[in-house]
Amino acid sequence: MTQTQDLVSLSVNAIRFLAIDAVEKAKSGHPGMPMAMAPLAYLLFREVMRHNPLDPTWPNRDRFVLSAGHGSMLLYATLHLTGYDLPLEELMRFRQWGSKTPGHPEYGHTPGVEVTTGPLGQGISTAVGLALAEKKLAAEFNRPGHLVVDHYTYVLASDGDLMEGVSGEASSLAGQWGLSKLIVFWDDNRISIDGPTDLAFSEDVLLRYRAYGWQTLRVEDANDLNALRHALRLAQLDERPTLIAVRSHIGYGSPKQDSHKAHGEPLGPEAVEATRKNLGWPYPPFVVPEEVYQHMDMRAQGKAWQEAWERVLEAYAKAFPELYQELRRRLQGELPPLPEEPPAFDKPLATRAASGKVLDLLAPRMPELVGGSADLTPSNNTKAQGMEDFSPQNPTGRYLRFGVREHGMGAILNGLNLHGGFRAYGGTFLVFSDYMRPAVRLAALMGTPTIFVYTHDSIALGEDGPTHQPIEHLMSLRAMPGLWVIRPADAHETFYAWQVALRRKEGPTALVLTRQAVPLLSPEKAKGLLRGGYVLEDAENPKGVIVATGSEVHLALRARELLGQQGVGVRVVSLPSFELFEAQPEAYRKEVLPPGLPVVAVEAGASLGWERYAHKVVGLDRFGASAPYPEVYERLGFTPERVAEALLALL
C-alpha cells in the first residue's frame, strides 16, 4: 500500500470512527450507514465536489443532500474533517440540547447542511428542486464562454428513501425534465429496521428508474473507490439524471455488520473495541491523526474554486452588466418593485380567480417567480398570462406541470426556494394538502419561503361532496409552527395576501382560496389584511363582535345587518391570518377584539382552535355533503339567522 493509499484509508476510517464514537457517547444514533458509506463521503467531499468550507453558501457550490438523514454523523464527521465550522466539541455533543449536531441534519442550523432531512424520501425529492433550479438558472443566465451557473446536486439515499412514494413522484419528474446534473447514490445494503429489505421491498429498483428516464449504474462494493470514480464519470457525461446503486455493508467492520442491529442503536463497548481491531484503528475516541486533518482540509482548495468563479463572474459583469445585476439581485433574494395597489376588480369574484389575476400582474415584474399545479391548473388559476411551460426543450419556461403529484410538488418547490434565484409556488385543492403535508412541515421547519396555493377551500365547493370538502384542514395547517395561513375574504384581500407571502422570507405561506364567487370589499379596508385581522365594519357602541375568515366574512356582514334591524350594534372583524394577527402588538389586537365584548366566530370548518378568540363558534365538526353549495351551507347551518342567534345568545 502506498503512502497516499494509506492516507485515504486512514481518512475513510476517521469518518467511520468519529461517527461510531459520537453515537456511542450520545448512547443514541445510527452508526451503521456512516460506517458503510464513509468511502463515498470521502470521495465526494475530498475529490469530486466543488465546495468551500469557508463559505458554505457560495452560490456555485456543488450541493450534497443526505437523504438518509438518520446517518447524520456521516455528514457531520465529513464536514468537520474538511474544514467547516463544526468543531470536534460539537461532534462530542451529538444529539444534545443546543448542539450543532442534531439527530438528523437541519438546514440553517449546521454549516454545510443543504436540506433538512430525516423523513425518508424528502431529501432526494427536495434535491430534484435543487437540480431543477440549477438547470433553469443556467439556461437563463449562462452565455457562451461565461458559465456562471454550473454545479451538480449529489444525493445519498437509502432503501427507505426509495420505498417512500414521494421519491417516486419527484424522480419521475426529474426524468421527465432531464435533470442531468442530479446524481443519486443508493446505499443498497439490503437491510431495514425490520430486517432484510426483501421482507417488503423486492422490486427491480434500477429498472423502475430506467422507466423514469434515468441512467442507472451499479457499483458492487462501496469500498471500491475506483469503481465509484468510474461511475461518477459516467454519470457526469450522461444527459439524464443518474441513480448509482452501491452495494454496501451496514455496520462495516463490526461484529454487527449486515445486521439491522447496526442501524438504530450504538454498537456497544465490546463491538466498538472489536471494530477498532478489525479496521486497524488504534486511536482513542474522537482522536484523529493530524495527517488526516491536513489531507482532508478543503479550505484552501474551496477558497481557490470560489475565487476562480468570482473572476468568471467579474468578466460576466463586464460583458453582460444587466444580466449580472439581475442575477445578483435574485441570488440575494431581493424583490423587484411590486405593485402597491390591487388591480381593478369590478364584480364578485372567486378568490382563486382573483389570485390568477394577481399572478398576471406579478409575473411580468418578477422573473424569478416560478410555479405550477398538481394537474389542476384551470381550477387553481396558477398559470399567469404569458408564462410558458418548462421543459427540457424550453428550460427558461416558468410554469411547471407537476401532474397528479402533490407530495413531490411540495418537496420540489422547497428545493427551488432553497437553491436561490427563484420564488416558487404550487397549487392544489385544500383537501389535498394532506397529500403534501410532510413537505409543508419541512418548509416550516427550514424557514423556506414556499408559497402553497390551496383552492376549493370549504363545503362551498358543493357537488363534489365530502371527499373533496375540507373540514379540518384549516386548523390543521394553523397548528403547524412557522406556517402562515391566509384565507382572504375577497379579491382585494387576495392581492394583499400575495403581498404578504412574497415579502415573507423567513417561512412558508399557505393561501387558502374559494371556488365560488364572493362580493368585493372596499380595497382600502381590505388592506387591513396586512395586519392579519382588522375591523371591517363597526357600530357606534357595539354589543358584540362577529369574527370570520374567507367567504364567511360576507355571512358575518349579513348577520350584522339582521342584528342592526333589531337595534343591536355589531362589529365585524375579518381575520384572514391568525399568525399574522398574532405578530401584531398586543395593543392592536385588543383594539380589534376588545376583551370585554362577546365574540362569535364563523368559519365553514372545524371549530377547534377558535376558542382563543371567540366565546361561541358557528363552525363545522362533521363532514360535508354532495349538493349545490347554497343548499349545503343552509342545511349545515351557515346562515345569517344562525350567526345572529349565536351572538344574541351571548348577550
Side-chain angles (χ1 to χ4, degrees):
M1 180 181 288
T2 68
Q3 184 177 359
T4 303
Q5 288 173 322
D6 190 48
L7 197 51
V8 170
S9 297
L10 268 177
S11 300
V12 170
N13 278 335
I15 296 171
R16 287 183 172 127
F17 282 96
L18 284 173
I20 290 169
D21 295 339
V23 171
E24 205 66 26
K25 187 174 189 299
K27 296 181 171 55
S28 172
H30 301 73
M33 190 277 272
M35 295 166 69
M37 298 306 286
L40 176 66
Y42 166 83
L43 184 66
L44 288 175
F45 279 83
R46 176 61 180 77
E47 294 185 16
V48 175
M49 287 169 47
R50 290 178 300 174
H51 61 110
N52 183 6
L54 296 172
D55 184 2
T57 62
W58 167 38
N60 204 43
R61 68 193 181 279
D62 290 329
R63 271 69 168 174
F64 174 76
V65 177
L66 183 66
S67 195
H70 54 272
S72 58
M73 268 310 306
L74 175 74
L75 181 55
Y76 298 150
T78 308
L79 293 172
H80 166 70
L81 291 171
T82 51
Y84 284 78
D85 184 16
L86 195 62
L88 189 63
E89 292 76 19
E90 293 293 344
L91 273 61
M92 297 172 75
R93 298 176 61 227
F94 178 53
R95 290 186 164 219
Q96 304 309 302
W97 182 272
S99 78
K100 294 291 185 184
T101 50
H104 294 82
E106 296 180 23
Y107 170 78
H109 186 76
T110 309
V113 170
E114 301 284 0
V115 176
T116 297
T117 58
L120 291 175
Q122 285 293 322
I124 180 176
S125 303
T126 307
V128 172
L130 293 174
L132 175 61
E134 192 278 341
K135 186 182 183 80
K136 285 187 57 54
L137 214 59
E140 202 171 336
F141 287 99
N142 286 351
R143 294 295 182 269
H146 297 271
L147 295 182
V148 290
V149 181
D150 181 23
H151 55 265
Y152 286 86
T153 301
Y154 298 97
V155 180
L156 175 53
S158 64
D159 295 301
D161 285 296
L162 302 188
M163 291 185 208
E164 287 284 3
V166 63
S167 64
E169 293 184 18
S171 296
S172 176
L173 285 164
Q176 173 90 8
W177 292 335
L179 302 181
S180 60
K181 289 188 174 178
L182 176 62
I183 299 174
V184 177
F185 295 88
W186 166 30
D187 177 17
D188 182 14
N189 61 30
R190 303 179 191 174
I191 293 293
S192 64
I193 293 174
D194 279 4
T197 52
D198 61 12
L199 290 170
F201 189 56
S202 56
E203 69 199 44
D204 187 332
V205 173
L206 296 189
L207 186 61
R208 172 160 64 95
Y209 269 75
R210 284 197 291 276
Y212 288 153
W214 290 51
Q215 175 184 217
T216 60
L217 304 169
R218 181 172 285 284
V219 172
E220 293 297 340
D221 181 3
N223 294 299
D224 188 343
L225 288 174
N226 283 330
L228 287 170
R229 290 183 184 107
H230 179 64
L232 271 163
R233 283 194 292 271
L234 292 176
Q236 290 171 345
L237 290 170
D238 205 274
E239 294 182 353
R240 298 165 291 178
T242 299
L243 177 69
I244 304 172
V246 181
R247 182 74 176 96
S248 74
H249 298 278
I250 192 170
Y252 177 78
S254 79
K256 297 182 179 181
Q257 178 176 314
D258 296 325
S259 164
H260 67 279
K261 293 181 179 179
H263 172 74
E265 60 189 53
L267 294 178
E270 291 182 8
V272 170
E273 191 58 34
T275 307
R276 277 182 154 77
K277 290 179 181 176
N278 290 343
L279 296 179
W281 187 257
Y283 307 100
F286 297 106
V287 173
V288 175
E290 184 57 35
E291 59 264 36
V292 169
Y293 277 116
Q294 292 176 8
H295 176 67
M296 291 286 288
D297 191 345
M298 293 298 292
R299 287 174 292 188
Q301 178 63 76
K303 184 170 181 283
W305 275 326
Q306 184 167 347
E307 287 174 348
W309 175 76
E310 287 168 352
R311 289 192 292 273
V312 170
L313 197 62
E314 188 178 339
Y316 181 80
K318 291 177 181 175
F320 308 100
E322 291 183 5
L323 278 175
Y324 166 76
Q325 289 298 335
E326 177 66 6
L327 177 62
R328 184 202 60 78
R329 177 188 71 78
R330 286 170 55 173
L331 289 176
Q332 291 182 357
E334 297 174 3
L335 288 176
L338 295 179
E340 299 289 338
E341 301 298 328
F345 298 116
D346 57 3
K347 62 180 180 180
L349 203 62
T351 56
R352 62 168 175 156
S355 175
K357 291 185 179 299
V358 174
L359 281 172
D360 290 343
L361 191 66
L362 293 170
R365 294 168 168 81
M366 282 191 72
E368 66 266 45
L369 192 64
V370 299
S373 168
D375 197 49
L376 290 168
T377 298
S379 295
N380 297 150
N381 295 97
T382 39
K383 187 177 184 183
Q385 291 179 8
M387 264 191 173
E388 295 182 354
D389 288 350
F390 168 84
S391 70
Q393 297 74 35
N394 185 27
T396 59
R398 295 160 59 195
Y399 196 71
L400 303 169
R401 303 286 185 173
F402 287 104
V404 188
R405 299 185 184 94
E406 284 90 355
H407 201 174
M409 175 178 73
I412 290 168
L413 294 173
N414 288 343
L416 281 163
N417 285 317
L418 285 169
H419 180 279
F422 294 101
R423 288 300 305 274
Y425 66 90
T428 186
F429 289 176
L430 177 59
V431 77
F432 300 136
S433 62
D434 286 342
Y435 278 63
M436 61 192 298
R437 190 176 180 88
V440 179
R441 186 174 189 269
L442 281 180
L445 192 57
M446 292 187 286
T448 306
T450 306
I451 299 172
F452 301 103
V453 179
Y454 295 134
T455 70
H456 295 60
D457 68 345
S458 74
I459 54 172
L461 66 89
E463 291 87 346
D464 276 341
T467 61
H468 283 53
Q469 292 170 4
I471 303 299
E472 72 280 18
H473 298 76
L474 268 169
M475 279 302 175
S476 174
L477 290 170
R478 287 171 181 148
M480 192 180 293
L483 175 68
W484 283 12
V485 181
I486 308 179
R487 188 178 183 229
D490 84 326
H492 297 115
E493 279 197 1
T494 303
F495 169 81
Y496 291 112
W498 270 103
Q499 290 270 333
V500 170
L502 289 172
R503 295 184 190 282
R504 186 171 191 232
K505 295 182 179 180
E506 67 278 8
T509 303
L511 304 181
V512 181
L513 308 171
T514 68
R515 175 188 185 236
Q516 80 279 19
V518 288
L520 294 177
L521 304 174
S522 153
E524 273 308 307
K525 289 183 177 178
K527 199 170 185 177
L529 179 138
L530 297 174
R531 303 194 75 172
Y534 63 98
V535 177
L536 177 59
E537 294 292 345
D538 210 353
E540 188 173 335
N541 183 26
K543 303 299 183 190
V545 179
I546 304 173
V547 58
T549 75
S551 48
E552 286 77 70
V553 168
H554 306 281
L555 183 61
L557 290 171
R558 295 200 299 276
R560 175 180 178 272
E561 290 175 9
L562 287 179
L563 290 164
Q565 292 167 10
Q566 300 176 45
V568 180
V570 172
R571 170 180 291 187
V572 171
V573 169
S574 177
L575 193 71
S577 175
F578 285 18
E579 301 80 19
L580 188 50
F581 186 64
E582 291 297 329
Q584 305 307 310
E586 183 182 7
Y588 174 77
R589 286 182 277 128
K590 286 184 174 179
E591 182 184 325
V592 173
L593 294 172
L597 288 178
V599 179
V600 169
V602 190
E603 188 170 69
S607 60
L608 178 69
W610 271 109
E611 59 273 5
R612 76 175 75 177
Y613 298 123
H615 303 96
K616 193 174 183 65
V617 184
V618 178
L620 190 63
D621 294 310
R622 53 151 284 181
F623 292 117
S626 177
Y629 88 85
E631 183 177 359
V632 175
Y633 256 65
E634 184 173 351
R635 286 183 178 273
L636 293 179
F638 289 92
T639 64
E641 291 78 11
R642 184 181 174 216
V643 176
E645 288 167 7
L647 186 59
L648 287 173
L650 292 175
L651 297 180

